Amino acid sequence: MSFVRVRYAPSPTGAPHIGNLRTALFNWLWARHNDGKFILRVEDTDQAREVDNGLELIMESLRFLGMNWDEGPDIGGAYGPYHQSERLAIYKKYADELIEKGAAYYCYCTPDELKQMRQEQEARGEPTRYDRRCRWLTPEQRAEREAKGLPRVVRLAVPLEGSTTLPDFIHGDITIPNADVDDQVLMKSDGFPTYHMAVVVDDHLMEITHVMRGDEWISSFPKHILLYNAFGWTPPQFGHMPVVLGPDKKKLSKRHGATSITQFRDEGYLVEALVNFMALLGWAYDGERELFSRDELIQAFTLDHIHSSPAVFDRAKLDWMNGYYIRGLETGDLAERLLPFLTRAGIEADLETVKKIAPLVQERLKRLDEIAPLVDFIFQQEIEYDPKLLLGNKMNAAESLNALRNAGEVLDNFPSFDDEHALEQELRAASEKLGLKPAQFFGILRVAVTGKTVTPPLVGTMKVMGKGKVMERVERALRELEKMARAGSVV
Ligand code: GLU
């Protein structure tokens, strides 16, 4: 493979969603696979659609996903500028060149004229398109319009006959009759290029070798190839990637939950999982293997394994992958990633404690944002719970009270809870002596200490909490059970 230069060319119209970033990822992987260059280019010629911090949102998303760019608006490069709005003179020069060659022409039609043309075509049941009336103007007619200073656009003079083959390495060759292609506007009357003009000129000047973009651009593809032909340039290799659908097989959108990648980050998805997951939206290795680290993806990623059928966004699979990557983290690393999720939930946690908690929760977390409700009781001064939860399964208040007293005694006899194993043994022995099932005995103790019926492993959790806090909570629970037992014996 000769040198590879690929680009991600977003319009700064808002936070990029997972489908856009899948496009970026495939380009990035292909660049890295080949030791090539990944270029970030801002397609900002449609300024009405722009949002203020559009570029920032794009760069933040790429940075979060670890997709670094080699040239771009912030770092420059030999092919700049990388904002299309700063390249207007370049597009004008190339438009002039096409006019000179006779491959493009000025069109003076007003919006009203175009509208009327469309209506007439519709009335005749014809496809609506520009009827090329300005293409056939005589030099005198043209001079007359110029003398009046009429606003003008530049249109591509599409060949009237023959056909054009569009080579696509994902879909295969597509051949279209030229007669089906409109004389596309290349330059607008305000001096701005259209997307079609800018994308072709830039991909050529920036020496892009592969254009990988979403399927939605397939309808523009003929115009682009015809434009390359008009210039006499060799087009890059094109691949239009399958759309990403939601589980309902409709195009992925906000209806399917989080759309911006930063939202996925805030929900506690790991970058490792997101990158792996996104790589499988339209690409497959052998149809079986699904787990790939970033380096493995770079190694394995080839264009012939991109498929043309739509990819389906499956959140259950993302959750499964996220759990897998969480389980694979070193616990110190996991703790560091968990801490912000606790802080955000208003829990004043410290990294040292979270490091101790991490191994207790690692197996059960699917998302980092599940951490707060799972361990909040460890950090709280007082816990709130319904005292009835203290009643063991099929046990009354007096029996539950007796069980918790026994548990309390065992705990009290341990100077500290450091020896988790011994503590667990003794508690089990106490439960057995009372003829209780471990689920009954530990269930009561669990609610007493945590206020919850489902928690990380109890003995390990008590070790993290320390004896003082645990005993305080056991005592409070004993008082609750005493109250209930007294009330019970009265009735
Ligand atoms: N600016 C286009 C977009 O926003 C880029 C299309 C292309 O890659 O050619 O998706």
Side-chain angles (χ1 to χ4, degrees):
M1 169 61 57
S2 59
F3 200 69
V4 165
R5 288 176 56 84
V6 287
R7 47 53 165 200
Y8 177 48
S11 301
T13 51
H17 59 67
I18 213 155
N20 307 134
L21 291 160
R22 184 281 313 262
T23 297
L25 177 64
F26 283 20
N27 281 286
W28 183 84
L29 286 172
W30 187 234
R32 297 299 170 248
H33 179 84
N34 292 288
D35 268 327
K37 299 281 186 225
F38 176 65
I39 293 136
L40 177 60
R41 184 175 74 220
V42 189
E43 305 216 323
D44 57 350
T45 55
D46 187 357
Q47 300 195 317
R49 288 173 59 232
E50 257 181 67
V51 298
D52 271 355
N53 60 344
L55 178 57
E56 256 322 303
L57 293 171
I58 291 162
M59 296 204 293
E60 184 191 352
S61 303
L62 292 174
R63 281 192 199 108
F64 163 64
L65 292 169
M67 292 189 233
N68 56 322
W69 51 99
D70 305 296
E71 297 166 28
D74 55 333
I75 51 172
Y79 298 76
Y82 294 90
H83 270 113
Q84 287 188 328
S85 58
E86 293 169 17
R87 300 171 63 81
L88 301 185
I90 300 175
Y91 307 126
K92 174 162 189 326
K93 170 174 165 246
Y94 283 95
D96 291 349
E97 186 186 309
L98 288 181
I99 296 261
E100 239 155 76
K101 278 190 184 177
Y105 59 93
Y106 289 118
C107 164
Y108 307 90
C109 292
T110 62
D112 280 347
E113 240 177 305
L114 294 173
K115 193 170 154 204
Q116 199 188 340
M117 185 187 306
R118 247 192 333 269
Q119 284 167 348
E120 286 167 9
Q121 287 167 337
E122 272 163 8
R124 291 195 298 268
E126 290 172 6
T128 55
R129 54 160 58 185
Y130 182 58
D131 68 4
R132 301 181 163 134
R133 62 183 68 167
C134 287
R135 187 161 163 179
W136 316 123
L137 293 176
T138 61
E140 295 72 36
Q141 289 170 320
R142 211 170 274 293
E144 190 189 311
R145 285 163 175 74
E146 287 294 323
K148 283 192 197 150
L150 293 184
R152 59 185 196 186
V153 302
V154 175
R155 284 186 186 269
L156 181 65
V158 171
L160 302 171
E161 282 161 6
S163 60
T164 301
T165 296
L166 318 170
D168 186 303
F169 59 78
I170 299 173
H171 293 270
D173 284 1
I174 310 166
T175 300
I176 48 116
N178 292 336
D180 287 355
V181 186
D182 220 346
D183 279 2
Q184 175 61 44
V185 174
L186 302 177
M187 299 294 285
K188 296 182 263 188
S189 55
D190 60 3
F192 273 73
T194 56
Y195 154 70
H196 309 288
M197 175 71 178
V199 80
V200 167
V201 168
D202 286 351
D203 285 342
H204 175 73
L205 294 182
M206 295 184 182
E207 296 184 36
I208 298 301
T209 56
H210 300 77
V211 171
M212 276 179 268
R213 59 186 177 188
D215 255 356
E216 68 269 29
W217 299 106
I218 267 199
S219 59
S220 305
F221 193 18
K223 297 167 189 170
H224 297 176
I225 294 294
L226 285 164
L227 196 44
Y228 278 101
N229 294 347
F231 280 119
W233 295 339
T234 309
Q237 296 187 49
F238 279 88
H240 290 88
M241 295 185 290
V243 282
V244 182
L245 303 178
D248 55 1
K249 304 284 153 70
K250 301 225 171 78
K251 199 170 177 206
L252 192 67
S253 75
K254 288 210 177 77
R255 280 176 296 117
H256 301 104
T259 49
S260 75
I261 206 73
T262 43
Q263 198 173 332
F264 282 95
R265 176 191 62 195
D266 297 345
E267 286 175 4
Y269 289 100
L270 304 190
V271 56
E272 292 88 336
L274 286 166
V275 166
N276 189 159
F277 177 78
M278 283 161 56
L280 301 181
L281 293 174
W283 174 87
Y285 181 62
D286 56 6
E288 281 187 22
R289 181 170 165 200
E290 301 210 283
L291 295 165
F292 295 86
S293 69
R294 180 186 301 268
D295 285 344
E296 287 166 346
L297 282 174
I298 292 173
Q299 272 285 319
F301 187 84
T302 54
L303 304 183
D304 52 339
H305 284 240
I306 301 177
H307 39 84
S308 57
S309 48
V312 177
F313 177 90
D314 175 356
R315 192 178 285 254
K317 183 163 156 184
L318 174 58
D319 285 351
W320 164 76
M321 256 186 200
N322 206 49
Y324 167 82
Y325 282 103
I326 288 177
R327 289 194 295 281
L329 291 177
E330 198 240 308
T331 53
D333 185 2
L334 175 58
E336 276 173 36
R337 301 200 205 200
L338 287 173
L339 187 60
F341 285 87
L342 290 166
T343 312
R344 214 177 57 190
I347 297 169
E348 277 179 49
D350 59 287
L351 187 59
E352 277 320 297
T353 310
V354 182
K355 277 187 180 158
K356 291 183 200 147
I357 292 172
L360 299 174
V361 295
Q362 188 156 24
E363 287 296 316
R364 61 185 67 196
L365 286 178
K366 283 212 166 60
R367 284 161 45 168
L368 300 179
D369 69 349
E370 291 164 351
I371 189 64
L374 203 56
V375 302
D376 53 0
F377 64 87
I378 297 180
F379 301 94
Q380 283 156 354
Q381 269 323 322
E382 289 273 331
I383 49 175
E384 299 286 335
Y385 60 92
D386 176 359
K388 286 202 196 73
L389 292 176
L390 289 165
L391 297 173
N393 190 18
K394 300 195 183 121
M395 294 165 73
N396 64 24
E399 290 159 340
S400 305
L401 173 62
N402 190 39
L404 188 58
R405 275 197 183 130
N406 276 269
E409 270 162 35
V410 172
L411 294 176
D412 209 17
N413 284 335
F414 275 83
S416 89
F417 294 168
D418 285 349
D419 188 347
E420 230 176 293
H421 186 67
L423 187 58
E424 169 126 19
Q425 296 284 85
E426 295 249 349
L427 287 167
R428 278 182 188 277
S431 164
E432 217 165 289
K433 226 157 78 194
L434 293 171
L436 293 174
K437 294 202 178 90
Q440 292 175 302
F441 186 84
F442 283 96
I444 299 167
L445 182 58
R446 182 184 314 279
V447 174
V449 174
T450 70
K452 295 179 203 270
T453 53
V454 182
T455 65
L458 181 60
V459 180
T461 304
M462 293 197 297
K463 177 177 165 183
V464 175
M465 291 169 69
K467 184 170 174 180
K469 202 164 196 170
V470 170
M471 294 315 293
E472 251 170 53
R473 291 192 182 171
V474 169
E475 260 140 47
R476 170 182 155 203
L478 285 172
R479 287 195 298 276
E480 298 282 5
L481 280 168
E482 278 160 12
K483 254 192 273 170
M484 282 191 273
R486 271 200 305 276
S489 61
V490 172
V491 198

